[in-house]
Amino acid sequence: MGEKKSQNHENWTNIIQPRKGWFDINLKEIWQYRDLIMLFVRRDFVSIYKQTILGPIWFILQPLFTTITFTIVFGKIAQIPTEGIPEVLFYMSGIVCWNYFASCLNKTSDTFFANAGIFGKVYFPRLVVPISTVITNMFTFTIQFVLFLLFLLYFKISGSSVNLTGWVFFTPLLLLYMATLGLGVGIFISSLTTKYRDLTFLVGFGVQLWMYATPIVYPLSQVPERWRWLYSFNPMTVVIETFRYAFLGMGTIQLWQIGFSVMITTFIFLAGLVLFGRVEKTFMDTI
């Protein structure tokens, strides 16, 4: 009998063991499931605008309409200065970055509830789902980023005072930074919502408030000096200001603010990973 059990054990191709440590994250296992990640990416990308008339064109129309609205409301009516930058470029630069971060946060914050059915039937590293969401949104960001570059080219040829700086080479790092922040906040909230469901209603509302607390519709230089230090605690401030400085030649950011924001983002990401790992063991009993 004992020999039979030993024989069966040797035939297992995958042995699932309980996690004990706080940072017991098996990166090798996640890499082994890379095909599943790409499968989820394809599924999510195709299903977003499936059965719609305009299809992928919505990827372009959304930031375009938002930019037009911001230009009319905040540029023409409220007359908020943009430091000499064309209003369309100023608002679109903030919208493109913010859309990526907000989309990562919103979609990953619903990981456990949206995938409870598949989580309860088959085993795979649960982090595969939010990681695939972040990658899917990178395709959307790329499309909207190209749209921004086309507008930038148009205004540059038209003689507008916009200047590229060497910081454009840090764009991939900015994208990675936003992905880390969005994933960290998203899985942190997703873990909490398994117990406190009120947070699902707070997420959408909170993301909107966060956007207005980020210098997207106004430049950071318009914030009074005595309040500007508060923006150092908002990690997205660094992203928006650095992105604008890289592609438009304007922005108010210092190196210590970048370092401080990286520390905050790292802390949020690690806290999200720890909480996500703790909750995934028992969430099926609570949702």
Side-chain angles (χ1 to χ4, degrees), residues 5-6 23 25 36 51 58 61 67 78 91 108 187 195 199 206 222 243 274-275:
K5 282 184 177 178
S6 175
F23 288 98
I25 301 167
L36 183 60
Q51 295 182 339
W58 283 111
L61 292 182
T67 299
Y91 294 120
T108 55
I187 60 177
K195 191 173 183 180
L199 285 173
Q222 291 298 309
F243 188 83
V274 170
L275 194 58

Side-chain angles (χ1 to χ4, degrees), residues 107-156:
K107 292 179 180 176
T108 55
S109 66
D110 196 30
T111 297
F112 284 119
F113 279 104
N115 300 278
I118 190 172
F119 282 174
K121 294 176 181 175
V122 62
Y123 172 78
F124 58 87
R126 305 315 188 205
L127 268 178
V128 162
V129 175
I131 289 175
S132 67
T133 300
V134 169
I135 295 174
T136 303
N137 289 325
M138 282 185 182
F139 289 102
T140 308
F141 173 83
T142 302
I143 295 172
Q144 297 180 352
F145 180 63
V146 170
L147 176 67
F148 167 74
L149 291 180
L150 291 176
F151 272 92
L152 179 63
L153 180 63
Y154 169 77
F155 279 99
K156 186 67 179 175

Side-chain angles (χ1 to χ4, degrees), residues 109 112-113 187-200 275 279-280 282-287:
S109 66
F112 284 119
F113 279 104
I187 60 177
F188 189 88
I189 294 174
S190 176
S191 304
L192 292 178
T193 51
T194 58
K195 191 173 183 180
Y196 307 103
R197 299 195 180 188
D198 289 352
L199 285 173
T200 55
L275 194 58
V279 170
E280 71 172 328
T282 58
F283 78 96
M284 288 304 297
D285 298 328
T286 55
I287 64 175

Side-chain angles (χ1 to χ4, degrees), residues 63 91-100 141 144-145 148 243:
Y91 294 120
M92 186 174 284
S93 61
I95 290 167
V96 168
C97 293
W98 181 260
N99 278 353
Y100 176 69
F141 173 83
Q144 297 180 352
F145 180 63
F148 167 74
F243 188 83

Side-chain angles (χ1 to χ4, degrees), residues 164-221:
L164 292 176
T165 68
W167 285 71
V168 294
F169 295 107
F170 291 97
T171 304
L173 292 179
L174 281 180
L175 183 61
L176 179 63
Y177 178 91
M178 287 189 290
T180 305
L181 181 63
L183 178 64
V185 177
I187 60 177
F188 189 88
I189 294 174
S190 176
S191 304
L192 292 178
T193 51
T194 58
K195 191 173 183 180
Y196 307 103
R197 299 195 180 188
D198 289 352
L199 285 173
T200 55
F201 301 99
L202 186 63
V203 170
F205 177 63
V207 169
Q208 286 185 350
L209 293 181
W210 193 344
M211 188 194 78
Y212 288 109
T214 305
I216 293 175
V217 298
Y218 53 88
L220 186 61
S221 59

